[in-house]
Amino acid sequence: MNLLKIENIQYSYGKNTPFEKEVLKNISLEVNANDFIGVIGHTGSGKSTLIKICNGLLKPDKGQIFYKGENIWKKGFDLKHLRFKVGVSFQYPEHQLFCETVKKDIAYGLVNKGVPEEEQESKIRQVLKIVGLQESYLEKSPFKLSGGEMRKVALAGTMVLEPEVLILDEPTAGLDPKTTKQVYESLKEYQAKTSSSIIVVSHSMEDISEYATRLIALDDGNILLRGTPAQVFSNTERLNDMSLDVPITTSILSMLAQKNPSVNTNIYRYNDTKAEIIRLLKDVKSIE
Amino acid sequence: MRSIIQTEKLGFHYPRQERLIFENLNISIKEGEMVGILGSNGSGKSTLLKHFNALIRPKKGAVLIDEKWNTKDPETWLDIRQLVGLVFQNPENQIVSTIVEEDIAFALENLGLPREEIKKRVNEVLKIVNMYEYRKRPPYQLSGGQKQRIGIASILAMRPKGIIFDEATSMLDPKGRKDILKIIHELNQKYGVTVLMTTHLLDEVASVDRIIVLNKGRIRFDDKPEIVFENREELEAMGLSIPTVTKLALDLKAEGYLTDSKKLILTKEEFVQAIQKDIGVRA
Ligand SMILES: Nc1ncnc2c1ncn2[C@@H]1O[C@H](COP(=O)(O)OP(=O)(O)O)[C@@H](O)[C@H]1O
Ligand SMILES: Nc1ncnc2c1ncn2[C@@H]1O[C@H](COP(=O)(O)OP(=O)(O)O)[C@@H](O)[C@H]1O
Ligand SMILES: [Mg+2]
Ligand SMILES: [Mg+2]
């Protein structure tokens, strides 16, 4: 059964004001255990709004959302409980952090969730490792950190709750390459352990193609493309029209294919790209 | 050549920190250069860059702007901030007015420039960043990349000699990023603006003149990209990386391909050329 199901969602900001704006037009999406869904789309396409719909922070104007088959906007549904199960790390970490120390910030959700104090400690230490922050940070103020460090703290605060659906809005924007890799690897590890589903919004076609099993591409409140990365990234022109792009690996293969028609351009991961180029170079030898 | 930014034994720590974030930094940025600054999260890039338009002042050593202004002297701050502009990561935080052209005029009005001159400059800079058609729009209708272009235009209107881009592309979609990078290169090449930029996307700094790498409070590298990126293992150990094409070329070399290409490959075009050459050799 799917964990989360979204059906024909429509949402406008500024309802019944002159500024009313329809931001999600007709969105449907099913999220299953072990999914790793990448969400791509131009700025303003509605990605962050969709995320807020997913954990019940915004109520859609039309359409329905089910968590394990239960309509989350039905009377009596425990929305607070939902927010522990569908965890979101928001786009701007500085908006998510508000305690006087890093430790209190990460512990905040645990306290709310009623996790006993002795368990909190070990969970926090574990999650620090995952995001790559030293324990010396625990007593620092989150507001005196660099942008990348703040993001790590915000991520830790979401992951520590061990949600079944983990949603991350541009989690690695501003993170250095090593930490970016660390975050994605830890997501994969977390998923392998828990069979949770993961949804990541990202502008990095490279990262998303390396890790996602399915992609959706939003454009002005509609999902215009969806499928496996191979399917989505086979639409270079449409992606460009949507202010998006293919990963650099795919674009290198396309350039090679102009002179070498045998090159498969429907490849996007780094290792597969390398293998395809080696195949091309070996083929030349064998033809001879 | 005239150095627009110069640091002498620069050292800094925030209040109540015992250890210096960096120390003994000697950096010289020449007029017209395009320089990338790399470093892992928390390595001190933003702190360093804020020294360059006097938002932060040294705890040790000195920062000299345009060979004449010491940032320790508060009387120089206004001049320095006109000479060196700073563009941040989040475009939302740089826009104040409700109409695009007013936003750009705003800073100029504060300078007390005549109305005609303001109008002329506003139109000029909006054209440079390709946003002239949007001059009557409210900023909230713009995409992230467009907002970032307005932020750049506001700075350009001050006619700065240098602009610092602190992760200015990291929140943008692929098109927004491409547009901003194109403008950055154009400003440098066509208008001679000195450019300093930080980014975590190594592909963006493959074609700068010089890369400075900050690590553990020191300058570890200060050299051309093709020399800095030779140090793949060391860069990776400090949390950084090298451009994707460079990595791909090196990995292929390690497996016995591309043996003919001696120079480090930094662009897709160079990469494809090297592959075609390898194919030629093999055939
Ligand atoms: N609180 C809000 N009030 C009014 N409009 C908003 C609000 N939040 C977002 N918007 C608008 O809704 C659209 C979609 O925004 P968002 O979901 O943040 O897009 P994305 O995350 O894809 O960049 C944008 O045009 C944005 O300006
Ligand atoms: N306002 C501040 N007060 C105290 N410490 C700070 C402040 N801003 C940044 N820091 C610390 O200074 C170091 C350098 O930060 P920063 O210059 O933002 O790094 P970068 O831009 O390279 O990520 C980090 O360890 C960070 O925690
Ligand atoms: Mg968003
Ligand atoms: Mg920074």
Side-chain angles (χ1 to χ4, degrees), chain A residues 42-43 92 144 146 174-178 203 243 245 251-252 260 270 274 277-278 281-282 285 288, chain B residues 16 40-42 90 143-144 167 171-173 175 178 200 239 245 247-248 251-252 255 257 268 276 279:
Chain A
H42 63 83
T43 56
Y92 302 104
K144 292 187 174 170
S146 81
L175 291 188
D176 60 45
K178 186 172 167 191
H203 286 312
S243 293
D245 211 342
S251 121
I252 290 170
N260 314 279
Y270 181 83
K274 190 174 109 191
I277 296 174
I278 290 177
L281 293 171
K282 274 200 181 134
K285 239 183 190 165
E288 208 217 358
Chain B
R16 271 172 299 155
S40 59
N41 292 128
N90 188 352
S143 73
E167 295 189 26
M171 315 224 356
L172 305 180
D173 57 43
K175 166 127 194 328
K178 256 192 229 160
H200 290 298
V245 276
K247 190 155 52 183
L248 203 47
D251 284 351
L252 289 169
E255 302 213 15
Y257 302 93
K268 286 194 274 190
Q276 290 308 132
I279 290 175

Side-chain angles (χ1 to χ4, degrees), chain A residues 40 203-210 215 229-230 232-236 239-240 244-254 265-270 273, chain B residues 174 177 203 244 268:
Chain A
I40 55 179
H203 286 312
S204 167
M205 304 299 127
E206 286 73 26
D207 294 343
I208 220 121
S209 63
E210 219 48 60
L215 294 185
V232 170
F233 288 133
S234 65
N235 299 280
T236 310
L239 287 166
N240 288 341
L244 301 174
D245 211 342
V246 295
I248 185 164
T249 41
T250 311
S251 121
I252 290 170
L253 290 172
S254 299
T265 58
N266 202 0
I267 286 175
Y268 46 91
R269 287 201 176 125
Y270 181 83
T273 305
Chain B
R177 204 158 76 211
D203 299 329
T244 315
K268 286 194 274 190

Side-chain angles (χ1 to χ4, degrees), chain A residues 81-139:
Chain A
H81 177 74
L82 177 79
R83 293 193 188 122
F84 294 126
K85 295 294 178 188
V86 181
V88 176
S89 177
F90 292 100
Q91 185 169 1
Y92 302 104
E94 59 272 31
H95 297 177
Q96 197 179 335
L97 304 172
F98 50 86
C99 297
E100 71 248 45
T101 66
V102 165
K103 187 174 179 180
K104 283 184 184 160
D105 239 311
I106 300 177
Y108 184 81
L110 292 173
V111 174
N112 258 354
K113 201 179 168 187
V115 174
E117 212 160 311
E118 18 346 319
E119 277 173 51
Q120 289 181 18
E121 196 77 11
S122 72
K123 280 185 196 291
I124 290 174
R125 285 180 206 286
Q126 248 175 330
V127 84
L128 279 185
K129 270 210 199 97
I130 290 183
V131 299
L133 272 180
Q134 283 161 352
E135 291 190 8
S136 62
Y137 277 82
L138 285 174
E139 298 310 321

Side-chain angles (χ1 to χ4, degrees), chain A residues 10-206:
Chain A
Q10 190 208 43
Y11 184 81
S12 300
Y13 286 109
K15 255 258 113 28
N16 306 321
T17 73
F19 304 103
E20 176 159 341
K21 184 173 183 201
E22 192 184 14
V23 170
L24 297 178
K25 289 173 182 159
N26 186 3
I27 304 270
S28 298
L29 179 67
E30 274 187 38
V31 183
N32 298 305
N34 289 309
D35 272 344
F36 200 129
I37 302 178
V39 181
I40 55 179
H42 63 83
T43 56
S45 60
K47 303 179 298 295
S48 297
T49 307
L50 176 61
I51 281 176
K52 288 175 191 152
I53 294 272
C54 284
N55 86 333
L57 272 180
L58 294 175
K59 189 177 180 188
D61 302 326
K62 280 192 194 144
Q64 284 164 328
I65 306 151
F66 301 93
Y67 172 71
K68 290 188 171 166
E70 259 194 281
N71 187 332
I72 72 164
W73 289 105
K74 153 192 101 176
K75 239 199 182 132
F77 185 89
D78 186 354
L79 272 176
K80 185 178 165 198
H81 177 74
L82 177 79
R83 293 193 188 122
F84 294 126
K85 295 294 178 188
V86 181
V88 176
S89 177
F90 292 100
Q91 185 169 1
Y92 302 104
E94 59 272 31
H95 297 177
Q96 197 179 335
L97 304 172
F98 50 86
C99 297
E100 71 248 45
T101 66
V102 165
K103 187 174 179 180
K104 283 184 184 160
D105 239 311
I106 300 177
Y108 184 81
L110 292 173
V111 174
N112 258 354
K113 201 179 168 187
V115 174
E117 212 160 311
E118 18 346 319
E119 277 173 51
Q120 289 181 18
E121 196 77 11
S122 72
K123 280 185 196 291
I124 290 174
R125 285 180 206 286
Q126 248 175 330
V127 84
L128 279 185
K129 270 210 199 97
I130 290 183
V131 299
L133 272 180
Q134 283 161 352
E135 291 190 8
S136 62
Y137 277 82
L138 285 174
E139 298 310 321
K140 292 191 182 183
S141 157
F143 305 102
K144 292 187 174 170
L145 301 178
S146 81
E149 291 165 336
M150 266 193 222
R151 191 167 285 283
K152 291 183 186 181
V153 175
L155 266 174
T158 309
M159 279 175 106
V160 79
L161 293 172
E162 299 165 10
E164 288 179 330
V165 182
L166 181 50
I167 309 182
L168 309 158
D169 200 351
E170 303 192 30
T172 58
L175 291 188
D176 60 45
K178 186 172 167 191
T179 314
T180 299
K181 189 151 185 222
Q182 217 166 24
V183 167
Y184 277 105
E185 291 295 332
S186 63
L187 288 175
K188 245 173 57 179
E189 199 183 303
Y190 176 74
Q191 179 166 55
K193 262 193 228 143
T194 57
S195 297
S196 56
S197 45
I198 291 174
I199 304 177
V200 174
V201 175
S202 175
H203 286 312
S204 167
M205 304 299 127
E206 286 73 26

